[in-house]
Amino acid sequence: MYIEHHEAQALLQLIQATQTIIIHRHVRPDPDAIGSQLGLKSLIESTFPDKRVLAAGTTTQGLKWIGAMDKVSAADYQGALVIVCDTANQPRIDGDHYYKGATLVKIDHHPPVDDYGQLQIVHPIASSTCEIIAEISRHLGDQLPMQDQAARLLYTGMVSDTARFLYESTTSRTLEVAAWLKQYDFSSFEISDRFMRLSFEEAKFQGHIFETMSINEAGVAWVTISQEDIKTFGISEEQTQIAVTLPGRIEGVLSWVIFVQQEGNGDHYRCRIRSKGPVINGIAANHDGGGHPMASGANAHSLAERQAIVEELAQAVLAYRQEIEQEA
């Protein structure tokens, strides 16, 4: 177990000593961010029903089925314990007042980027932040016991961040934690079914992605999604997330990037970068981003910068192929 006794106990002692606990996560949340945030909230509320526990952040329409956020004011932070889940660096924290509490805690599975918080529980070996929260509960046992609602939330985030346990980040420990959570009363089928479901508009949009995808000789694929595309297919920017895994299904593609044009700024594109081998988070860092070695995000502010990202990915893929050949 990678959770260390001293860090689990330090978190528990902070929770025990504080009446108001406010939990944050990153902007544009994914299921791991929301699942870890609300899963931890559920664990604390069920163990300490006298405490006030709030989930801070904007509501995401497509993920409302996981759970709802709370209304949090600046006054709520007076003397509060603030916990930030699944967020490597402070600029990505969703919420304006997270730094106004008495104590700040960071719980995350991303490679360390920003050293913030009086207590930091950071384990990049974990598949997800939900896995870390579940492991903290397992470690603490009756001091912070698992229960049905928290298990559902944490399992949801684990399923999402591992692409239903397909990614390399899925370790034997991940499967062990998932099996432990499945002992509780929730439907794992309903969770998986939610992630597999597509609207008719989303299905047509997927076809468009395959039709407009480009692939170079190195094995890098890229797709550009414009605001016009989003309007034409009647989807939201949030729903463009369904395109992220599609290039990786093409034989010979080792790395890819999805460029999504941002509303109100025709030159700004959010970049979702993925890999099946070459390390790409350094490339993301070169372009106002970061993340995991195989899954990162970045920003491009011109056609030239988008082309540069594709070229950098091509160089990373070629270097990776050469390394594999030398090892063979």
Side-chain angles (χ1 to χ4, degrees):
M1 183 179 289
Y2 48 75
I3 296 297
E4 298 181 14
H5 179 72
H6 71 87
E7 61 187 6
Q9 284 296 324
L11 176 63
L12 178 64
Q13 289 167 11
L14 286 171
I15 292 170
Q16 290 172 330
T18 312
Q19 184 58 34
T20 298
I21 299 156
I22 304 173
I23 308 175
H24 286 252
R25 36 77 180 161
H26 60 74
V27 295
R28 295 190 177 99
D30 56 11
D32 184 37
I34 296 177
S36 58
Q37 178 189 33
L38 296 181
L40 180 57
K41 176 187 175 182
S42 183
L43 286 173
I44 297 171
E45 286 180 327
S46 63
T47 307
F48 305 99
D50 60 319
K51 295 188 182 296
R52 185 172 181 231
V53 189
L54 302 171
T58 53
T59 299
T60 303
Q61 286 299 118
L63 298 178
K64 286 176 69 174
W65 63 272
I66 299 177
M69 298 295 107
D70 299 306
K71 291 183 179 180
V72 186
S73 68
D76 292 322
Y77 289 83
Q78 182 68 36
L81 168 63
V82 180
I83 303 173
V84 180
C85 294
D86 198 42
T87 312
N89 53 327
Q90 293 179 78
R92 295 200 70 227
I93 298 174
D94 191 351
D96 297 327
H97 307 293
Y98 71 91
Y99 56 88
K100 294 181 178 179
T103 308
L104 181 63
V105 174
K106 175 186 183 182
I107 304 178
D108 190 27
H109 76 122
H110 294 92
V113 174
D114 189 352
D115 185 18
Y116 69 88
Q118 289 90 333
L119 172 64
Q120 299 180 44
I121 303 177
V122 179
H123 294 285
I125 192 174
S127 69
S128 55
T129 303
C130 281
E131 181 183 320
I132 294 174
I133 301 295
E135 281 285 62
I136 290 172
S137 176
R138 282 219 302 171
H139 183 88
L140 291 173
D142 291 341
Q143 294 177 296
L144 192 68
M146 187 56 61
Q147 35 82 5
D148 296 339
Q149 173 67 355
R152 181 188 76 86
L153 291 162
L154 297 173
Y155 186 85
T156 297
M158 290 180 66
V159 167
S160 174
D161 247 30
T162 61
R164 302 183 307 283
F165 308 108
L166 294 177
Y167 289 162
E168 286 287 346
S169 60
T170 304
T171 64
S172 58
R173 172 68 63 183
T174 303
L175 297 175
E176 183 181 319
V177 173
W180 178 67
L181 291 174
K182 275 179 65 66
Q183 298 178 77
Y184 293 87
D185 187 16
F186 68 92
S187 172
S188 58
F189 168 77
E190 288 183 4
I191 292 169
S192 294
D193 184 58
R194 275 279 188 172
F195 289 127
M196 292 293 290
R197 251 184 255 168
L198 289 176
S199 68
F200 188 44
E201 289 77 15
E202 289 171 334
K204 290 190 290 185
F205 177 68
Q206 280 197 351
H208 173 74
I209 294 299
F210 283 119
E211 287 179 357
T212 59
M213 186 184 304
S214 298
I215 304 174
N216 63 21
E217 292 182 358
V220 174
W222 66 97
V223 176
T224 302
I225 301 171
S226 68
Q227 283 295 313
E228 187 62 31
D229 293 331
I230 290 172
K231 293 174 183 176
T232 297
F233 288 94
I235 61 173
S236 64
E237 182 182 329
E238 182 183 334
Q239 288 173 292
T240 65
Q241 183 73 26
I242 64 174
V244 171
T245 61
L246 299 182
R249 296 169 60 183
I250 306 298
E251 187 173 357
V253 171
L254 286 183
S255 186
W256 61 97
V257 54
I258 310 293
F259 298 110
V260 184
Q261 186 181 37
Q262 298 301 284
E263 189 173 8
N265 187 341
D267 292 330
H268 180 201
Y269 286 76
R270 286 187 63 214
C271 313
R272 296 167 176 147
I273 309 174
R274 299 294 185 268
S275 173
K276 293 196 290 186
V279 174
I280 47 82
N281 56 344
I283 295 171
N286 293 339
H287 300 276
D288 188 26
H292 298 285
M294 304 296 148
S296 293
N299 291 275
H301 298 278
S302 66
L303 175 60
E305 187 168 13
R306 280 181 276 148
Q307 292 172 334
I309 291 172
V310 172
E311 179 57 31
E312 288 171 42
L313 290 175
Q315 293 302 316
V317 169
L318 291 172
Y320 175 78
R321 290 187 189 277
Q322 185 175 26
E323 182 181 338
I324 295 299
E325 289 175 1
Q326 290 173 349
E327 292 176 353

